[in-house]
Each structure stands twice: as C-alpha cells, then as structure tokens.
C-alpha cells in the first residue's frame, strides 16, 4: 500500500501543499457541526497527525471516529490552522482498513502500566510503549555503532549450552524427553536426551565470548540470556537482552574506562535521536530526566571499593531492611543507597569478596577479593556486571575445584589459559535495565515486548 510515514509528514516541509496518502490507527476523534477531527498514528512517531474532515463533503463518518480503527487517508497536507509549526491533512478520501468495535480496551487517555500489562498485544499502541520501543531500538543501534566504530567484532554465541557460565545453577533445562521412572539415574536420563548430556539455555555468552576474544582481540555479543532465578522483582526477567564485550589485553581499569565511555555514548545517542520521546519520559515518568542524563554523560562516574561501600552501609544500617557485613552480597536497597544517596551518580563498585562472585574472576593479591566491578546507577541499581578474568590456569582450576565444578565440562575454555593466555576483561550490560535508567520507567516488565517472569508467560 503506497503511503508516507507520519514521521516524515510531520517533518518534511516539501510535502506541504501536496496530495499524500497516510495510514494509521485512530487515536482520538472529535466531532463538531461542520467538521470532524481525527488524530492518526502509524507508529513511526510519538506525535499524531491531525486529519481534518469537512462533513459537507464526506458523509457516514461515524466508522472513522472509533478509537483503534485503522484507516487509509488521502488528502492535501496544509499548515495547521491553530497549532504553530504543525501540519494537518485535509481529507479527500478515507478507506477503513480494519473496523474497531467499542469494546477496544484503550479508550481512556491514560491507563496504568499494571492494566496495560494485561493487554500485551495492544499496549504497544500507547504513547508510553511507542516511546519505549523507539528508545530501545535507538539504544540497540547505538550499542552496535559504538562497538563497530571501535574495532570490535560482533559474534553470536550459542543459546543452548552445556556449561553454567555463572556457576549459579539457575538455568532453564533444554530437553526433548520427559523424565520417567524407567531411568535408573539422572545420568542415564541425560544420556538418553537429545545431546546425550544435560543442556540448558545460556545465562551468558561470556565463556564463548572469551574464546572469540582470544583470537579476534575485541568482540561483543548482543543476544538473549536466560535466568531461572525466582526473583519476582521490578528488575528481574527470566529472558533479557545481554550486551557482552570481551577484550584481550585489557585489565580491570581498562574495561571500566571502556564501559563508562560506552554508556555515555549510548545515552548521548538517545538524547540526540529521541528528543520527543525523552521529553515525554521527563514529563510523565521522571522529572529532570533529561538534565540528569546530560550531566551523567558529561561527568566522570564514581569508583568505590566494595569494602568502602560496606563500611558506609554498616554506619547507616538503620536505613535498611537487611543488615550487611563484609562478605555479604549487596541487595538492591544497598546498591541504590550507595549510588543515590552517597555518590548521587553512577558508581563502579570494585573488588568484591571472591566467595560471592563467579569462578572466572581474577583473584587479587590480597587472597580475599577479585578484580570485579558492578556499575550501580541511581533508580535501578546494578546495570553492569564486569570483571578481569583469571588468566592463570592453576588459579582458575583451584577456583573451580573449590566450587565443586566439573572440570572436564570446561576443557575447551580452559585450553585458552594453556595456549598463549593473556590478561583480558569483559562485562555484561542488561539492555532492559539500561532502558529503565534512560526512560525512568521503574518496572522491567514495561520495557520489553513480552516479559517472562517467574509464574507468568503470556
Ligand atoms: O552480573 P551478571 O550476572 O554478569 C554476567 O552474566 C557476566 N557473565 C557478564 C560478563 O562479564 N560478560 O549479568 C550482567 C548484567 C547485569 O548487570 C544486569 O544488567 C543483567 O545482566 N541481568 C539481568 N537483567 C534482567 N533480568 C535478570 N534476571 C538479569 N540478570 C542479569
């Protein structure tokens, strides 16, 4: 169907005075004695296009006025009579593409996000989701751009895997056969399955990413990761999009510098390319959002050790539901306190206790901590998990043994430490958490098309 995108119609002055065709869904409608007005949206822009209908020239317009109806409109584009710097389309012919009955759920101007979650197929037609998905798209493109400009190779790591890269055991099993009592043991059951051994959905592409980086130098992956953690919180989903760069010859300070540079680059890209969307979020979700992001993208992030953070948290223990001491994993309330109240900006917390972190992280000379960092941001908490990797084979084997891992499952990975091992580092950025940070949207379920969370899959 030949037609012009509404985003182009709203911006391109060359179209004024011309006859054009647009398509879209009716967002609002208003009727007066001689005239009727529709706001049409085709999804290409947050702003709608006003359609003006002269009722003396067009009869039977009732069907066009129903919210949610899809239309093709032919007409002449003119400067708006009332709104400055805007255009409207004087309709000459209207075709109904799809009628929309009065039980269309999006009748009100503003619905709660909770209600919209109950209609996932339709919520995308609201202004909020229109803006979320454009920001999501621009962020994704900017992430690729950043890495491509800086000599990184984009690699796709497997989604089905036999190894648990985070060692946390929170994986979704992949199987084609049901368990039955006829199998004498789990091993026998696994051996009868599709891969002849236990397989699962990957929680991270890191281990395979390391393989690629040990040949290509600088790589990144950008794909889905799966976590079967039963955390029913505002920032956990079972399926999320994961950006994982891996860099040969990079030590912890190098990767911290790169992570900060990348975050600033993608924030600037969204501010530049999504001005309407960002104004919308600033107005409806987080007052001062644009100013905050401008400041963040032009100032240094904070850096603090885990040990320093725990000292601060212990001094403020009356402010938390959960007390914390050295050696504990930090909860969201602690992470947010450090970034929101103490640093008041994104902060890299470094050198975590080795026992609460994954086996692959580089062991520090103190024997207690690892060269790892999490990037914590106000409003969200952790958005990046990062570390320098243990490049020494013996130390790595020792960390795996302590955790009771099956060494033979990791032979391929371990061979990297045998043949020309080099210092290297990488991180994982959760795309959805990044979107929460730049939009001010508080629940991760509202920044992904179909959220998968414990107990729900729609
Ligand atoms: O800190 P994580 O678990 O780190 C890793 O997976 C490393 N292998 C990354 C690496 O070094 N290549 O996860 C990294 C990020 C988190 O900071 C968070 O943003 C996101 O992934 N993430 C989740 N996002 C949404 N829902 C979940 N359940 C998430 N789990 C992790």
């Amino acid at each position: 169907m030949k037609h012009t995108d509404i985003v182009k119609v709203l911006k391109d002055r060359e179209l004024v005075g011309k006859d054009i065709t647009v398509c879209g869904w009716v967002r609002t409608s208003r009727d007066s004695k001689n005239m009727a007005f529709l706001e049409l949206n085709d999804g290409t822009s947050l702003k709608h296009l006003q359609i003006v209908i002269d009722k003396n020239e067009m009869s039977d317009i009732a069907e066009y006025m129903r919210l949610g109806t899809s239309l093709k409109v032919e007409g002449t584009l003119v400067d708006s009579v009332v709104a400055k710097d805007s255009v409207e389309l004087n309709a000459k012919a209207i075709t109904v593409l799809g009628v929309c009955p009065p039980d269309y759920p999006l009748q009100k101007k503003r619905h709660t996000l909770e209600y919209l979650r109950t209609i996932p197929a339709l919520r995308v037609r609201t202004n909020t989701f229109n803006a979320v998905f454009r920001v999501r798209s621009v962020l994704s493109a900017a992430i690729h751009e950043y890495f491509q400009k800086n000599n990184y190779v984009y690699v796709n790591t497997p989604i089905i895997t036999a190894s648990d890269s985070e060692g946390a055991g929170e994986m979704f099993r992949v199987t084609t056969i049901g368990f039955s009592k006829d199998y004498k043991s789990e091993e026998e059951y696994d051996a009868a399955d599709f891969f002849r051994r236990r397989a699962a959905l990957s929680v991270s592409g890191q281990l395979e990413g390391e393989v690629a980086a040990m040949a290509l130098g600088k790589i990144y992956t950008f794909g889905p990761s799966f976590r079967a953690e039963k955390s029913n919180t505002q920032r956990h989903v079972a399926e999320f999009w994961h950006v994982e760069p891996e860099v040969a010859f990079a030590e912890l300070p190098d990767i911290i510098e790169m992570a900060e540079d990348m975050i600033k680059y993608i924030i600037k890209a969204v501010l530049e390319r999504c001005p309407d969307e960002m104004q919308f979020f600033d107005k409806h979700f987080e007052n001062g959002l644009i100013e905050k992001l401008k400041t963040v993208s032009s100032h240094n992030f904070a850096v603090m050790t885990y040990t320093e953070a725990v000292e601060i948290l212990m001094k403020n223990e009356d402010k938390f539901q959960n007390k914390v001491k050295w050696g504990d994993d930090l909860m969201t309330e602690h992470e947010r306190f450090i970034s929101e109240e103490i640093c008041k900006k994104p902060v890299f917390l470094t050198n975590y206790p080795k026992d609460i972190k994954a086996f692959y992280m580089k062991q520090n000379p103190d024997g207690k901590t690892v060269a790892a960092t999490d990037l914590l941001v106000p409003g969200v908490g952790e958005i990046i998990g990062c570390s320098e990797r243990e490049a020494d084979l013996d130390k790595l084997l020792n960390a795996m043994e302590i955790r009771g891992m099956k060494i033979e499952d990791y032979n391929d990975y371990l061979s990297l430490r045998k043949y020309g091992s080099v210092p290297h580092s990488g991180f994982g950025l959760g795309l959805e958490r990044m979107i929460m940070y730049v939009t001010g949207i508080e629940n991760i379920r509202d920044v992904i098309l179909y959220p998968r969370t414990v107990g729900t899959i729609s």
Side-chain angles (χ1 to χ4, degrees):
M1 202 175 293
K2 223 169 167 31
H3 69 285
T4 309
D5 291 341
I6 287 180
V7 67
K8 182 169 161 65
V9 173
L10 293 173
K11 281 192 190 145
D12 187 349
R13 294 294 304 161
E14 302 239 309
L15 293 175
V16 178
K18 300 225 167 85
D19 281 356
I20 59 164
T21 302
V22 293
C23 295
W25 293 270
V26 176
R27 280 299 196 83
T28 66
S29 62
R30 190 156 54 84
D31 204 358
S32 70
K33 194 157 169 263
N34 295 316
M35 311 293 280
F37 303 91
L38 306 177
E39 298 244 49
L40 205 67
N41 188 291
D42 67 354
T44 60
S45 121
L46 187 59
K47 291 191 174 137
H48 314 322
L49 173 66
Q50 169 142 290
I51 310 292
V52 183
I53 302 172
D54 184 342
K55 286 163 75 176
N56 301 315
E57 291 184 8
M58 233 180 251
S59 51
D60 294 336
I61 64 161
E63 220 177 26
Y64 313 151
M65 308 298 283
R66 290 209 187 128
L67 304 195
T69 297
S70 48
L71 303 175
K72 177 172 121 175
V73 184
E74 294 156 79
T76 312
L77 191 71
V78 295
D79 279 317
S80 166
V81 177
V82 283
K84 212 172 143 255
D85 295 332
S86 189
V87 287
E88 57 195 22
L89 191 65
N90 288 335
K92 289 184 177 166
I94 298 184
T95 314
V96 174
L97 301 174
V99 290
C100 190
D103 67 354
Y104 183 55
L106 299 176
Q107 297 290 344
K108 277 202 306 195
K109 206 161 164 93
R110 260 179 101 73
H111 294 274
T112 64
L113 293 174
E114 289 76 16
Y115 168 70
L116 292 174
R117 269 176 234 141
T118 66
I119 46 168
L122 294 176
R123 69 173 183 166
V124 197
R125 291 193 199 174
T126 61
N127 290 341
T128 300
F129 287 88
N130 180 303
V132 163
F133 286 106
R134 204 174 325 281
V135 164
R136 185 176 173 117
S137 167
V138 167
L139 262 183
S140 304
I143 287 166
H144 278 291
E145 233 172 66
Y146 178 84
F147 289 122
Q148 295 289 330
K149 275 188 184 168
N150 288 290
N151 311 317
Y152 286 72
V153 178
Y154 174 44
V155 301
N156 307 116
T157 49
I159 284 174
I160 301 178
T161 176
S163 59
D164 178 358
S165 63
E166 290 306 297
E170 292 168 325
M171 302 181 85
F172 287 100
R173 188 109 172 235
V174 174
T175 174
T176 53
I177 54 169
F179 185 77
S180 95
K181 286 196 285 291
D182 299 339
Y183 300 115
K184 291 191 192 68
S185 63
E186 286 217 20
E187 287 72 28
E188 195 181 307
Y189 166 54
D190 290 339
D193 210 339
F194 188 89
F195 297 107
R196 306 271 175 260
R197 60 185 286 195
R198 185 171 292 206
L201 296 179
S202 177
V203 295
S204 157
Q206 179 194 321
L207 302 193
E208 296 86 354
E210 284 187 52
V211 168
M214 290 304 100
L216 300 163
K218 295 162 89 176
I219 66 96
Y220 70 105
T221 72
F222 191 169
S225 281
F226 306 87
R227 304 263 166 119
E229 48 195 341
K230 293 200 169 124
S231 312
N232 202 356
T233 75
Q234 306 233 71
R235 56 179 210 154
H236 287 90
V237 272
E239 178 180 302
F240 68 97
W241 280 71
H242 208 173
V243 181
E244 294 188 276
E246 194 66 38
V247 192
F249 320 110
E251 294 168 320
L252 192 67
D254 305 313
I255 198 78
I256 288 181
E257 196 180 314
M258 187 277 262
E260 179 169 336
D261 193 43
M262 187 209 68
I263 296 288
K264 287 178 174 171
Y265 181 89
I266 63 179
I267 288 177
K268 281 187 197 147
V270 170
L271 288 172
E272 248 169 59
R273 299 173 208 172
C274 300
D276 295 342
E277 289 77 5
M278 293 311 292
Q279 264 170 29
F280 174 86
F281 290 123
D282 198 313
K283 184 163 169 211
H284 297 290
F285 288 91
E286 186 181 328
N287 287 147
L289 176 70
I290 294 178
E291 232 10 79
K292 172 189 93 174
L293 293 174
K294 279 188 181 159
T295 310
V296 162
S297 62
S298 55
H299 290 80
N300 289 342
F301 293 2
V303 182
M304 183 189 280
T305 65
Y306 164 92
T307 303
E308 283 164 345
V310 168
E311 278 164 15
I312 294 171
L313 293 168
M314 287 172 72
K315 280 189 198 139
N316 290 278
E317 65 176 20
D318 50 316
K319 298 198 171 78
F320 307 114
Q321 282 185 332
N322 304 281
K323 291 200 168 119
V324 67
K325 59 178 184 329
W326 200 94
D328 292 344
D329 217 349
L330 303 186
M331 318 280 272
T332 305
E333 57 175 340
H334 307 129
E335 294 178 347
R336 289 187 58 173
F337 182 78
I338 294 293
S339 61
E340 281 162 35
E341 306 296 328
I342 305 297
C343 300
K344 298 187 168 50
K345 58 178 175 176
V347 50
F348 287 101
L349 271 203
T350 62
N351 299 328
Y352 282 80
K354 66 179 179 1
D355 295 340
I356 57 167
K357 287 290 185 187
F359 72 96
Y360 52 73
M361 295 181 176
K362 185 181 163 65
Q363 296 158 38
N364 284 330
D366 63 13
K368 292 192 294 192
T369 61
V370 282
T373 182
D374 285 351
L375 178 62
L376 315 178
V377 298
V380 184
E382 180 199 328
I383 62 167
I384 279 181
C386 173
S387 64
E388 183 171 340
R389 319 308 190 188
E390 183 50 80
D392 181 286
L393 182 60
D394 292 334
K395 286 187 180 164
L396 188 57
L397 283 171
N398 183 253
M400 294 172 80
E401 273 155 17
I402 288 171
R403 287 167 177 78
M405 296 170 68
K406 264 176 137 177
I407 307 288
E408 63 272 23
D409 286 356
Y410 296 83
N411 279 341
D412 190 44
Y413 175 73
L414 290 168
S415 70
L416 299 175
R417 274 62 176 177
K418 198 167 145 196
Y419 304 118
S421 188
V422 300
H424 62 290
S425 304
F427 67 79
L429 166 71
L431 179 67
E432 286 75 21
R433 295 206 185 155
M434 186 67 206
I435 301 170
M436 290 166 74
Y437 183 57
V438 297
T439 59
I441 289 194
E442 288 176 353
N443 197 313
I444 197 165
R445 291 165 182 78
D446 302 322
V447 299
I448 187 165
L449 198 55
Y450 279 92
R452 271 77 176 90
T453 50
V454 55
T456 17
I457 184 159
S458 55

